[in-house]
Amino acid sequence: MSAPTEKPPSSCKVMLSKNVANRLLAEVHEGLKTLEKPPHLVGLLANNDPAALTYAQMTQKTCEENGFKYSMREVSRDDIEEAILAANADNNVDGIIVYYPIFNNRQDQYLQQIVDVTKDVEGLSHRYIFNMYQNVRFLDGEAKRQKSILPCTPLANIKILEYLNIYNTILPYGNRLFGHTICVVNRSEVVGRPLAALLANDGACVYSVDVTGVQKFTRGEGLQKKTHEIHDLEGKTIKDVAPLCDVVITGVPGENYKFDTSLLRDGAVCVNFSSEKVCILSMMSWNCSLTILQNFPWEVRDKASLFVPSIGKVTIVVLLRNLLRLIQNKRMDDVKPAEATERPGTLEAAS
Ligand SMILES: NC(=O)C1=CN([C@@H]2O[C@H](COP(=O)(O)OP(=O)(O)OC[C@H]3O[C@@H](n4cnc5c(N)ncnc54)[C@H](O)[C@@H]3O)[C@@H](O)[C@H]2O)C=CC1
Ligand SMILES: Nc1nc(=O)c2c([nH]1)NC[C@@H]1CN(c3ccc(C(=O)N[C@@H](CCC(=O)O)C(=O)O)cc3)C=[N+]21
């Protein structure tokens, strides 16, 4: 009589984002020590999106637990423009986050551009977006003291890959993903496209997949280009590119999408940033239990080496880190004129 065949234990390590969040928080606490007063973040909520409210409440909680001041201002769509201008002008406000979508059309882009660039914690201002796509990392040129601001969710994905040692620290800064092939399933303007660009700028070969098709983002053979180039891969689908990738990152909204794990390379690293809360009714009691679903089915554990099921906690800490960076950048701007007057001649040279 043969013993019942038992499935061998999974070799996949599931990594929860709180580990990465805690490491980044330690860095944030160091930065806080150098400030005289708690940084003040204002969250402007002008939609009825439950996801935005949850995100705002989670941000508020993280702020309050970590020595930041957070004010949620709920306004109507008609008043959002004035609310942004008021926060821009208020010296007691260090950072502003506006929750989108509000109008879900070009008016949202207009609103993104009127947030004061020195208070833009999400990096949505034209100058920051330009720097990101052009692979310009600093605001002050060769001085390299003032880092440009990167969008929070794309940067959170990068911080996860750094934590997982996908970034090779033996290589120089800026080339540390050289040799990796990464699939990003989502090409929205707020997350997927900036993420593909950032990963390619760091040296990866990136396949960006969305409902319309596949694009390849790279700095060319041997990383010869300074910034990434994009090529449309006509006729290709996720089935052609996913098996080539050692990292797969997904962010498809909705509860119905599931990544086909038969496409995964054995031992790939999988990260999901889509977050969908679903109410599941229990047939017996009609009680509602909340379940958080994501893009990978349970079987991902049979093939992946590492799996990160959600990244929300990291996104919020990255937001706080961006806020500190804005304050540091402003401080350096404020001391510049004084330094210049101490050394006669530099003022003319600089202007
Ligand atoms: N955890 C976090 O920090 C954050 C999470 N999110 C979550 O990420 C998800 C995506 O958000 P957005 O990018 O703003 O959404 P979006 O709706 O703007 O973009 C969705 C993207 O997925 C692509 N897509 C949809 N179905 C697909 C399919 N079957 N195959 C391949 N691609 C497909 C679309 O073409 C599009 O590029 C949402 O679930 C959102 O809640 C968003 C922001 C922050
Ligand atoms: N200007 C702007 N920037 C945003 O980044 C933005 C926005 N507007 N509008 C709303 C969406 C939604 N969003 C989420 C972020 C984190 C989680 C999140 O933390 N989710 C948890 C799971 C859910 C939970 O535990 O409650 C996780 O990933 O661990 C969810 C949703 C950001 N958004």
Side-chain angles (χ1 to χ4, degrees):
M1 211 170 62
S2 59
T5 46
E6 262 184 45
K7 219 176 151 193
S10 161
S11 301
C12 175
K13 184 174 169 67
V14 178
M15 210 276 301
L16 299 181
S17 71
K18 67 165 191 275
N19 296 303
V20 190
N22 287 342
R23 185 149 104 184
L24 283 175
L25 265 178
E27 196 188 308
V28 165
H29 288 155
E30 282 305 306
L32 270 182
K33 284 186 200 157
T34 67
L35 304 181
E36 285 130 37
K37 61 179 172 62
H40 183 195
L41 176 64
V42 166
L44 294 174
L45 198 56
N47 62 20
N48 293 319
D49 177 9
L53 180 63
T54 310
Y55 183 43
Q57 287 167 338
M58 289 187 341
T59 305
Q60 173 153 32
K61 187 165 172 277
T62 311
C63 279
E64 286 164 1
E65 287 169 357
N66 293 284
F68 286 73
K69 184 177 168 196
Y70 179 93
S71 311
M72 193 185 321
R73 297 186 184 162
E74 292 187 65
V75 297
S76 75
R77 269 167 38 150
D78 296 339
D79 295 332
I80 184 67
E81 188 174 358
E82 286 308 312
I84 294 172
L85 297 180
N88 280 348
D90 185 345
N91 286 333
N92 291 316
V93 173
D94 300 298
I96 302 168
I97 174 167
V98 182
Y99 298 98
Y100 294 103
I102 298 175
F103 294 97
N104 228 339
N105 59 28
R106 288 195 54 181
Q107 240 174 305
D108 283 357
Q109 271 116 290
Y110 165 70
L111 294 173
Q112 285 166 8
Q113 300 314 319
I114 65 171
V115 172
D116 187 323
V117 67
T118 67
K119 299 188 180 186
D120 176 11
V121 281
E122 285 213 293
L124 298 172
S125 302
H126 180 266
R127 182 163 187 215
Y128 297 136
I129 295 180
F130 177 86
N131 285 347
M132 176 186 65
Y133 283 119
Q134 288 298 315
N135 203 6
V136 174
R137 310 226 171 182
F138 296 90
L139 298 169
D140 54 353
E142 282 307 304
K144 295 187 175 180
R145 276 153 45 94
Q146 293 174 302
K147 274 202 172 177
S148 196
I149 301 295
L150 294 173
C152 301
T153 309
L155 185 53
N157 277 288
I158 284 173
K159 290 291 154 193
I160 300 231
L161 298 189
E162 282 180 354
Y163 185 92
L164 299 177
N165 288 335
I166 310 293
Y167 275 72
N168 184 344
T169 52
I170 293 178
L171 293 173
Y173 171 75
N175 288 350
R176 290 178 174 168
L177 287 180
F178 192 22
H180 289 282
T181 308
I182 305 180
C183 183
V184 179
V185 192
N186 173 314
R187 204 186 306 122
S188 68
E189 282 306 306
V190 284
V191 194
R193 203 164 84 85
L195 176 59
L198 286 167
L199 297 172
N201 284 346
D202 274 338
C205 166
V206 182
Y207 292 105
S208 166
V209 179
D210 83 347
V211 283
T212 67
V214 183
Q215 292 181 340
K216 185 176 177 176
F217 289 53
T218 69
R219 276 172 50 205
E221 203 175 47
L223 306 187
Q224 283 169 14
K225 306 268 163 35
K226 191 182 136 301
T227 189
H228 67 280
E229 291 178 338
I230 305 173
H231 297 282
D232 263 312
L233 302 185
E234 265 168 47
K236 299 273 186 211
T237 71
I238 191 166
K239 289 196 167 58
D240 302 303
V241 297
L244 309 174
C245 297
D246 56 307
V247 178
V248 175
I249 303 176
T250 61
V252 178
E255 57 188 279
N256 296 324
Y257 177 84
K258 285 284 173 259
F259 181 87
D260 176 1
T261 54
S262 73
L263 301 175
L264 268 188
R265 209 170 102 170
D266 200 31
V269 172
C270 296
V271 179
N272 165 75
F273 67 78
S274 167
S275 53
E276 216 68 38
K277 273 193 182 169
V278 178
C279 184
I280 303 209
L281 285 176
S282 141
M283 294 305 284
M284 298 297 284
S285 59
W286 296 104
N287 276 343
C288 179
S289 69
L290 273 179
T291 307
I292 294 160
L293 294 181
Q294 44 85 20
N295 292 158
F296 289 99
W298 181 263
E299 308 84 73
V300 68
R301 291 159 175 79
D302 296 337
K303 274 187 124 175
S305 57
L306 286 159
F307 171 46
V308 185
S310 77
I311 70 156
K313 290 192 169 66
V314 183
T315 308
I316 293 173
V317 181
V318 165
L319 186 77
L320 301 185
R321 190 171 172 268
N322 276 358
L323 178 55
L324 280 179
R325 190 144 279 166
L326 287 172
I327 295 170
Q328 285 158 359
N329 286 349
K330 208 174 205 168
R331 212 158 45 179
M332 285 183 226
D333 272 342
D334 291 346
V335 297
K336 263 186 202 152
E339 277 177 1
T341 42
E342 276 166 25
R343 287 178 276 121
T346 51
L347 201 59
E348 289 88 336
S351 57

